[in-house]
């Protein structure tokens, strides 16, 4: 019974956030800010344990797996496009992934962040299911990594228009690759506003940035973490 | 109602690829996450016409369109980590914001420069 209630609660508040965000496009109504904040208030008022909530909504979290697999569909549909732009996509995600990891590392060392936070922060720029696996493989805390991934996505999609203005980015290719690389699925959601071409590039960048970071998580990152 | 049934069926078909990927990973220690193995399997199945795009297109579109919904329970999980709301939290938000801006800016500039020449 509680499971049904928690899923309906989550879905209802998610729909509400989407409805509000469409009419009043401000940060407050972002589905990843508005909905979790209200849920935290509701479960607190109803005295539901946070662990009960996460167990009850495990089905929703589970869907991240099939959703990631479903990204094979846009790749398949744009396979010619992908082959034609293969080199550019790879250049973008390889440079982007290194910048993501090393800028995070440098800033974290600068503010003397605790080690478990720092490690959990490293895979933050890729899509959740992959970020969790990388986090676990370098002894981070996957639950913390999820939060960092979400913050990255929200901030990335919000700052995109300003970044593109400051650096005078005009082409859908550059916008899409930058969004997918820096802000994964949430950024790809934003790329829809810049058209089909930007969305396709963003999807491809998100997937390949994930793969590059997973490979780095198995090779370079453990050695980097050992040095800390 | 018909659309919902179709989406449920198609999401179930996509699950087959998830289970295949879990099976492969159990038998042979591939150093890739199961979701990436599943993605590759689905792409191959589409490429080699083992399955038709129409069998999964609607379900796949729904999964991708509602992606933010699936993140919500994890976002609620933030309540378990009080440290994020403390002073460390401010530093974290600053790091994430700055680093994301740098990644986005650098990636966009590199592509914009190189793209103009090819």
């Amino acid at each position: 019974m509680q499971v049904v209630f928690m899923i309906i609660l989550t879905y209802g508040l998610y729909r509400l956030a989407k409805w509000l965000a469409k009419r009043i496009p401000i940060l407050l109504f972002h589905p990843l800010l508005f909905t979790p904040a209200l849920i935290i208030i509701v479960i607190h008022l109803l005295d539901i344990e946070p662990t009960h909530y996460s167990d009850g909504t495990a089905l929703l979290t589970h869907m991240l797996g099939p959703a990631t697999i479903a990204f094979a569909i846009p790749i398949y549909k744009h396979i010619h496009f992908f082959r034609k732009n293969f080199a550019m996509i790879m250049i973008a995600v390889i440079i982007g992934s290194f910048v993501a990891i090393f800028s995070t590392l440098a800033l974290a060392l600068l503010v003397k962040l605790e080690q478990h936070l720092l490690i959990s922060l490293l895979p933050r720029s890729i899509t959740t299911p992959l970020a969790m696996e990388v986090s676990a493989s370098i002894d981070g805390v996957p639950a913390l990594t999820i939060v960092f991934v979400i913050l990255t996505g929200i901030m990335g999609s919000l700052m995109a228009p300003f970044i593109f203005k400051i650096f005078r980015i005009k082409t859908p290719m550059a916008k899409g690759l930058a969004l997918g690389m820096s802000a994964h699925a949430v950024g790809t959601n934003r790329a829809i506003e810049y058209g089909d071409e930007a969305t396709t590039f963003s999807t491809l960048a998100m997937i390949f940035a994930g793969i590059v970071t997973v490979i780095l998580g198995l090779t370079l990152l453990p050695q980097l973490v050992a040095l800390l | 109602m018909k659309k919902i049934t179709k989406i449920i069926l198609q999401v179930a078909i996509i699950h087959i690829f998830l289970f295949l990927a879990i099976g492969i990973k159990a038998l042979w220690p591939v150093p890739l996450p199961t979701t990436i193995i599943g993605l590759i399997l689905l792409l191959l199945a589409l490429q080699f016409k083992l399955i038709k795009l129409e069998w999964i297109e609607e379900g796949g579109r729904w999964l991708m369109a509602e992606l933010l919904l699936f993140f919500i329970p994890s976002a609620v999980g933030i309540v378990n980590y009080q440290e994020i709301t403390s002073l460390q939290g401010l530093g974290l938000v600053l790091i994430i914001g700055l680093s994301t801006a740098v990644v986005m800016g650098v990636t966009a500039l590199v592509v914009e420069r190189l793209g103009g020449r090819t």
Side-chain angles (χ1 to χ4, degrees):
Chain A
M1 197 51 227
Q2 243 193 358
V3 171
V4 177
F5 167 72
M6 287 185 281
I7 289 182
I8 290 176
L9 172 76
T10 308
Y11 188 72
L13 291 175
Y14 163 76
R15 279 274 151 246
L16 178 67
K18 274 205 147 180
W19 186 85
L20 285 168
K22 206 172 164 188
R23 274 150 194 86
I24 314 160
I26 57 170
L27 173 62
L28 179 69
F29 296 133
H30 194 287
L32 284 181
L33 286 180
F34 182 80
T35 311
L38 284 186
I39 290 170
I40 289 170
I41 294 170
V42 171
I43 63 174
H44 186 74
L45 290 177
L46 295 178
D47 236 5
I48 297 170
E49 282 288 316
T51 47
H52 272 158
Y53 173 77
S54 62
D55 290 346
T57 49
L59 178 69
L60 293 179
T61 309
H62 159 83
M63 285 299 187
L64 282 169
T68 307
I69 293 176
F71 279 100
I73 299 170
I75 301 183
Y76 171 71
K77 279 185 169 172
H78 300 283
I79 196 93
H80 295 293
F81 188 83
F82 170 58
R83 286 205 181 122
K84 208 178 101 195
N85 297 290
F86 180 78
M88 186 62 90
I89 294 165
M90 287 303 150
I91 290 169
V93 298
I94 290 170
I95 293 176
S97 301
F98 275 93
V99 172
I101 288 166
F102 284 101
S103 66
T104 304
L105 184 65
L107 288 166
L109 290 175
L110 202 68
V111 303
K112 298 192 172 61
L113 208 62
E114 282 174 38
Q115 191 165 352
H116 75 285
L117 290 176
L118 188 159
I119 294 171
S120 309
L121 201 53
L122 291 179
R124 62 163 184 84
S125 66
I126 60 173
T127 191
T128 312
L130 304 185
M132 285 172 68
E133 297 213 30
V134 175
S135 181
S137 77
I138 55 175
D139 295 321
V141 185
L144 282 174
T145 300
I146 295 174
V147 177
F148 302 150
V149 168
I150 292 171
L151 281 173
T152 299
I154 295 175
M155 287 202 255
S157 78
L158 289 173
M159 68 175 69
F162 305 103
I163 299 278
F164 295 155
K165 204 171 172 187
I166 294 168
F167 294 111
R168 297 198 185 87
I169 306 302
K170 300 275 190 296
T171 60
M173 174 166 70
K175 288 178 179 172
L177 288 177
L179 270 166
M181 174 60 235
S182 64
H184 54 90
V186 188
T188 302
N189 219 292
R190 179 74 168 199
I192 295 169
E193 288 170 31
Y194 298 110
D196 265 356
E197 195 185 344
T199 311
T200 308
F201 271 121
S202 186
T203 306
L204 294 171
M206 175 191 82
I207 296 163
F208 287 96
I211 295 175
V212 167
T213 302
V214 166
I215 294 169
L216 290 177
L218 296 164
T219 53
L220 176 73
L221 290 186
Q223 294 178 23
L224 208 62
V225 167
L227 289 176
L228 296 172
Chain B
M1 215 52 207
K2 215 178 153 196
K3 198 183 167 189
I4 295 177
T5 319
K6 193 172 173 188
I7 288 174
I8 293 173
L9 274 175
Q10 296 199 347
V11 170
I13 298 174
I14 295 172
H15 269 82
I16 296 173
F17 290 88
L18 179 65
F19 298 139
L20 277 175
I22 293 170
I24 287 178
K25 210 172 160 154
L27 293 173
W28 178 46
V30 205
L32 285 173
T34 46
T35 48
I36 291 292
I37 300 171
L39 188 151
I40 295 168
L41 290 175
L42 178 56
L43 189 60
L44 290 174
L46 286 166
Q47 230 9 44
F48 291 107
K49 317 270 179 231
L50 297 173
I51 66 164
K52 283 187 179 154
L53 186 59
E54 302 94 85
W55 295 358
I56 51 157
E57 195 173 16
E58 193 120 4
R61 190 184 301 136
W62 180 80
L63 283 170
M64 289 184 279
E66 306 300 348
L67 198 70
L68 297 185
L69 171 66
F70 311 138
F71 280 109
I72 290 171
S74 314
V76 172
I78 198 171
V79 290
N80 296 317
Y81 296 92
Q82 245 94 51
E83 54 207 305
I84 298 184
T85 52
S86 67
L87 206 64
Q88 286 259 14
L90 193 70
L92 280 166
V93 171
L94 224 69
I95 294 169
I96 295 174
L98 268 172
S99 170
T100 304
V102 172
V103 176
M104 193 182 292
V106 169
T107 310
L109 277 176
V110 166
V111 174
E112 191 95 334
R113 289 280 157 79
L114 290 176
R117 285 181 204 151
T118 51

